[in-house]
Amino acid sequence: MNSILRKLVQEHSHFSLPLPLYFQQDIWQTDQLSEILQLPKPVVYNKSLHFDYIENPYLREEIKRYFYIHFISGRLSLRSALGVPYTAILLFAHFFSTAYPHAKSLLDYSLPVIQYRYGRFLKKERSKPQRLDRITPKYKAGHYDYYTKIAEKLYVFLQGYYDDRPEHEKDMWQLDKLGLPYNMSRRETRINFTSILPPYRDLVKKYFYHVLLLQRQITVATALNILKKVYLFFNFIYDRHPDWTDLKHLQRSDIEAFLAYVWTVDMGGSSHCKNRTPSNRHVSECLANSRRILEYAQLYNWPEAPKQPIHLLLVWEDLPKRERKNYYDHIKHIPDPIWEQVQHHLHLLPPVLARLILVMEASGFRVSDVCQLNQDCLVYKSNGWWLKGDQRKVNHVDHLVPISEEIVTIVRIQQEYLQENLFYNPHHFLFPQSIGRQSEKAMSQRLVTTALARLAEQLDLRDATGNIYNFKNHAFRHRYGVNLINNGMQILHVQKLMAHTSSEMTLTYARILDSTLRKEWEKAQASIRLSDTGIPVRTDLSIQAEENGVELDWIRHHLDAIRMDHGFCIKSPKLHCDFLEQTLEPPCIKNNCRSFHVDQTFLDYYQEQIEQLLNDVKVYETQGRLRSIELVQLKIKRFTDIRDSLLSAGLIMGIEKAKREYVGEERNNECSS
């Protein structure tokens, strides 16, 4: 523990700031706690918290204070406290009392050292089949993460409790005390500088104080990402020159030595990169982020800065070329069959999470932006309902996307749920964390991922390789983008809806699955028209365009406008339709119109019409309406001929790009050129 913090601990002695009278006892009864704290009485087997099990009297007082503060702040309920937190803390207290019998505070020792030794202790404990004794409950394998993190939770709490210095002077900055916006759907609550060894920790803290708090040049997310890399450089320099207290004498040889070193050290972190061989991107970020700190120190003439100019120490050629990111490979959208299964089984998810997932799929918002939606996020305009929310990654405030009436209903149900339950929701989130230590924060992204993973297991949802489907929250956004492209929306409109800063990212959503391409191409190839005698014949869009004096390009751009219920009207807008006033039967079919064009997109229409007409025949038969039956059967025959002609069209197994995009003479001209 550093000298400043040691002094603070001594000034805030347990005896000078005693706990309330009841909480000075070493045994806290559940019934009495619920009355004193006005908390619901839990239904549990344990009826008390036994702090007398903790051997070290100083640690016992610190742990009692930990529970007391968490109880009165609402961060911990009695029901939760008597479960894993209580068991985990007793086990850690037993370890600490044994490993450090003379300690007068948990803060007397370095957190990394404590965590390392406790991790080794837990590995031994996991292999023990029985309880050690009544004060060290058996380690529960299912809660390993919580057990490993309990030391850090206690340590950080005590640091915050004792240390009343300005936040930027501490070694851990609590995000909610910095007054900066940050992602409340993640559970990163602080910027931790303890991974950087003391000789250079103050330098890095000073850099972040300037660029993050004073100048606001970077965001909290960027600060966290920088810290994940730069500790490697500063700790390497410390190991190389343990007698240095600054970087004044940094030489080019030190940079070259670090460059050789960083290629040999596995990447750290808790993501998919952990324990993997360093990538070009990882090495580049380690060097670039270290350079930005050194360059900033030189710019402002800080005494710790290197004397040699930064451009002579670390040259841009040192940074390996980053692998070009192929966004095509990153578009992993949720396929329709998987999404349909999720929709059919939403009742298996907690209702709030089910509503959040529906909003995420329908809006294309990133999961962090959905979790942090404002409670008042619905906007009504003359053309319908819109969802309003910030796109934080690109600093786009109050971004709007159109939504359906069904999604409006989902949002209103969630709003009513919040009003009825009166959650502590100071930030007015639509999806707040309702209970626990993070009750003032937004819903956690991890809760969404975990719930979907459990659903996949429960439903046995499998991907193309046969493995249990791995839901990624961002895949919902990819699904939104791919669906917009597949449904024919223009790229610029998709870019605007998804708040992309460039069209390059939007273009990657134009990846339509091979099966979709083939299906749509087959529909275009299996098109028909009616001959003069009313017989369906195969046709080509370019032929009909030429016959009717219409530009093929005009048809392509106005296809939706010339679409009818039963087919396309390939007629020049300058010409009058002779059959426009006929309404009893589709006039195009009745009159064998040469401008009538049908493809496989209309199959459902004809199938439904045939089924309806057959039902009408049955009704007419019971009523003895023979003339009606005769007329309807003629119509059934016409519709059946069209349907069967579409179904009998040969399917083509694939076609090159030129033939996919051109038809008729266009195709021949393109291919010959």
Side-chain angles (χ1 to χ4, degrees):
M1 182 170 59
N2 62 52
S3 58
I4 296 176
L5 196 53
R6 185 182 302 278
K7 181 180 179 182
L8 289 168
V9 172
Q10 293 172 351
E11 292 175 353
H12 293 74
S13 168
H14 297 296
F15 304 103
S16 61
L17 292 172
L19 289 167
L21 187 60
Y22 178 81
F23 296 94
Q24 294 179 28
Q25 302 179 60
D26 289 339
I27 301 176
W28 298 355
Q29 299 294 334
T30 302
D31 294 343
Q32 294 174 339
L33 282 175
S34 63
E35 293 178 4
I36 295 171
L37 300 172
Q38 296 182 346
L39 295 174
K41 186 183 298 184
V43 181
V44 292
Y45 296 105
N46 296 325
K47 297 297 182 182
S48 58
L49 292 169
H50 277 269
F51 299 107
D52 56 332
Y53 292 169
I54 302 172
E55 299 96 323
N56 186 303
Y58 300 100
L59 181 63
R60 184 191 311 149
E61 292 300 313
E62 289 179 335
I63 290 176
K64 284 160 63 176
R65 192 169 297 275
Y66 172 86
F67 274 97
Y68 170 72
I69 296 297
H70 279 69
F71 280 148
I72 63 174
S73 65
R75 294 180 177 178
L76 197 61
S77 67
L78 285 176
R79 180 177 181 179
S80 298
L82 291 168
V84 176
Y86 175 60
T87 306
I89 283 182
L90 285 185
L91 188 59
F92 172 74
H94 172 73
F95 152 77
F96 188 82
S97 299
T98 304
Y100 305 100
H102 304 295
K104 294 189 176 181
S105 172
L106 180 63
L107 301 180
D108 281 346
Y109 302 91
S110 166
L111 177 60
V113 174
I114 295 174
Q115 288 177 313
Y116 173 75
R117 295 188 64 179
Y118 187 49
R120 295 181 62 184
F121 170 82
L122 281 179
K123 287 181 180 179
K124 294 179 181 178
E125 190 66 21
R126 291 170 75 178
S127 63
K128 295 181 180 180
Q130 303 296 330
R131 297 172 184 263
L132 294 175
D133 51 44
R134 67 171 188 164
I135 66 170
T136 55
K138 182 181 177 182
Y139 164 78
K140 298 180 181 179
H143 299 284
Y144 180 73
D145 286 345
Y146 196 95
Y147 276 74
T148 56
K149 292 178 181 178
I150 194 61
E152 183 180 2
K153 289 178 181 291
L154 280 170
Y155 202 95
V156 171
F157 164 77
L158 292 172
Q159 278 189 323
Y161 178 77
Y162 288 126
D163 196 346
D164 54 4
R165 292 176 296 165
E167 200 66 20
H168 67 271
E169 294 181 10
K170 302 176 183 177
D171 290 341
M172 293 186 187
W173 298 357
Q174 298 297 324
L175 295 181
D176 54 1
K177 295 180 180 180
L178 294 179
L180 297 174
Y182 66 97
N183 189 348
M184 290 191 180
S185 69
R186 299 178 68 92
R187 290 304 176 249
E188 292 168 320
T189 59
R190 60 187 176 275
I191 301 176
N192 188 352
F193 296 96
T194 58
S195 61
I196 299 173
L197 294 172
Y200 309 111
R201 187 181 301 165
D202 287 341
L203 168 63
V204 177
K205 285 165 57 179
K206 183 161 66 169
Y207 167 76
F208 280 108
Y209 173 68
H210 281 78
V211 299
L212 179 64
L213 296 178
L214 295 183
Q215 299 171 339
R216 307 286 174 104
Q217 293 182 10
I218 63 174
T219 64
V220 169
T222 301
L224 292 169
N225 288 332
I226 293 173
L227 271 179
K228 291 176 183 177
K229 304 295 182 181
V230 297
Y231 77 94
L232 282 169
F233 172 76
F234 290 103
N235 290 353
F236 171 81
I237 296 300
Y238 174 77
D239 291 337
R240 184 174 171 86
H241 302 288
D243 56 329
W244 284 9
T245 58
D246 52 44
L247 296 168
K248 292 178 181 178
H249 304 293
L250 191 68
Q251 300 294 320
R252 171 65 186 169
S253 58
D254 297 314
I255 301 297
E256 292 176 351
F258 173 70
L259 187 56
Y261 164 79
V262 75
W263 281 110
T264 65
V265 180
D266 289 346
M267 291 188 289
S270 57
S271 69
H272 67 282
C273 296
K274 188 173 184 179
N275 298 328
R276 289 179 56 184
T277 303
S279 63
N280 285 19
R281 179 176 179 176
H282 168 72
V283 174
S284 179
E285 288 179 350
C286 286
L287 292 168
N289 288 327
S290 301
R291 177 190 171 107
R292 69 195 298 173
I293 296 177
L294 300 178
E295 192 172 34
Y296 193 92
Q298 283 189 345
L299 178 65
Y300 289 94
N301 294 318
W302 290 355
E304 308 95 331
K307 292 181 179 179
Q308 249 191 72
I310 188 64
H311 68 275
L312 297 178
L313 290 173
L314 203 163
V315 299
W316 290 116
E317 287 74 14
D318 291 334
L319 277 61
K321 291 183 179 180
R322 293 175 59 167
E323 302 91 341
R324 182 173 178 81
K325 192 171 184 179
N326 189 349
Y327 287 106
Y328 180 93
D329 294 333
H330 288 263
I331 305 300
K332 306 293 185 183
H333 72 288
I334 298 174
D336 288 341
I338 296 292
W339 174 240
E340 289 169 5
Q341 287 293 311
V342 173
Q343 283 184 301
H344 292 157
H345 296 90
L346 282 173
H347 61 279
L348 300 177
L349 295 172
V352 174
L353 287 179
R355 293 192 281 269
L356 188 151
I357 290 168
L358 285 172
V359 172
M360 182 165 59
E361 194 273 342
S363 66
F365 280 25
R366 297 173 181 84
V367 62
S368 60
D369 294 325
V370 176
C371 290
Q372 298 178 92
L373 275 174
N374 192 279
Q375 194 170 345
D376 184 21
C377 60
L378 291 178
V379 174
Y380 183 75
K381 296 185 176 183
S382 58
N383 56 356
W385 285 98
W386 299 72
L387 188 75
K388 179 178 69 175
D390 296 341
Q391 300 290 298
R392 292 167 178 81
K393 184 175 182 180
V394 293
N395 296 320
H396 192 159
V397 178
D398 290 343
H399 178 64
L400 292 172
V401 295
I403 55 174
S404 65
E405 292 282 352
E406 290 80 3
I407 298 301
V408 172
T409 302
I410 294 296
V411 172
R412 284 177 172 166
I413 291 173
Q414 178 64 15
Q415 291 171 338
E416 293 171 1
Y417 170 75
L418 295 177
Q419 292 173 359
E420 292 172 1
N421 290 273
L422 298 175
F423 292 123
Y424 177 59
N425 188 13
H427 300 286
H428 306 290
F429 290 130
L430 180 64
F431 296 104
Q433 184 73 32
S434 57
I435 58 174
R437 297 176 56 203
Q438 306 293 336
S439 57
E440 75 278 8
K441 304 291 177 61
M443 181 72 70
S444 170
Q445 300 177 33
R446 187 174 296 178
L447 285 178
V448 181
T449 307
T450 303
L452 287 169
R454 289 175 180 169
L455 186 66
E457 289 279 357
Q458 190 173 355
L459 301 179
D460 195 33
L461 297 179
R462 297 194 176 268
D463 58 22
T465 63
N467 297 319
I468 292 294
Y469 190 82
N470 183 21
F471 281 98
K472 299 288 187 181
N473 289 333
H474 206 66
F476 285 93
R477 179 169 169 84
H478 290 169
R479 172 181 171 80
Y480 182 81
V482 169
N483 283 344
L484 293 180
I485 295 292
N486 284 0
N487 289 329
M489 181 173 285
Q490 294 183 14
I491 291 292
L492 290 178
H493 293 164
V494 177
Q495 179 182 347
K496 183 176 180 181
L497 274 180
M498 302 194 70
H500 287 153
T501 54
S502 70
S503 59
E504 181 185 3
M505 183 63 211
T506 312
L507 285 170
T508 63
Y509 286 92
R511 183 188 88 165
I512 306 175
L513 298 180
D514 292 341
S515 59
T516 304
L517 275 174
R518 177 177 167 181
K519 182 179 178 182
E520 293 302 317
W521 187 88
E522 288 167 354
K523 288 178 181 178
Q525 291 297 312
S527 57
I528 63 171
R529 61 177 292 185
L530 299 177
S531 69
D532 294 338
T533 59
I535 298 174
V537 295
R538 291 290 298 273
T539 188
D540 191 290
L541 194 62
S542 63
I543 295 174
Q544 283 189 282
E546 183 178 354
E547 288 180 357
N548 288 276
V550 183
E551 292 291 336
L552 188 59
D553 187 63
W554 182 91
I555 292 177
R556 286 171 176 157
H557 283 83
H558 296 83
L559 206 59
D560 287 339
I562 62 178
R563 184 184 181 98
M564 304 176 290
D565 290 340
H566 53 287
F568 293 108
C569 177
I570 312 301
K571 179 181 284 292
S572 171
K574 300 177 183 179
L575 299 179
H576 174 71
C577 177
D578 297 330
F579 317 124
L580 191 60
E581 304 301 326
Q582 300 181 22
T583 58
L584 294 179
E585 183 178 1
C588 314
I589 299 175
K590 181 180 178 181
N591 297 281
N592 304 326
C593 178
R594 73 172 189 173
S595 302
F596 183 55
H597 183 96
V598 184
D599 63 25
Q600 286 191 344
T601 60
F602 296 92
L603 267 175
D604 290 343
Y605 168 82
Y606 285 100
Q607 186 61 43
E608 292 171 1
Q609 290 295 314
I610 292 169
E611 292 174 358
Q612 181 60 50
L613 291 171
L614 290 173
N615 290 332
D616 292 343
V617 169
K618 293 179 181 178
V619 174
Y620 296 154
E621 287 175 346
T622 61
Q623 297 174 349
R625 297 169 58 181
L626 300 181
R627 180 55 181 165
S628 297
I629 293 174
E630 183 180 347
L631 294 174
V632 169
Q633 284 179 336
L634 289 174
K635 193 172 182 179
I636 291 175
K637 183 180 183 308
R638 300 294 300 273
F639 282 14
T640 303
D641 288 345
I642 294 174
R643 181 200 64 183
D644 293 346
S645 296
L646 291 173
L647 289 174
S648 63
L651 301 182
I652 300 177
M653 300 306 292
I655 192 165
E656 59 268 26
K657 182 175 185 293
K659 291 185 179 180
R660 260 200 334 264
E661 296 185 351
Y662 298 92
V663 296
E665 291 183 4
E666 287 182 308
R667 178 188 304 163
N668 297 331
N669 294 337
E670 177 67 19
C671 292
S672 61
S673 62

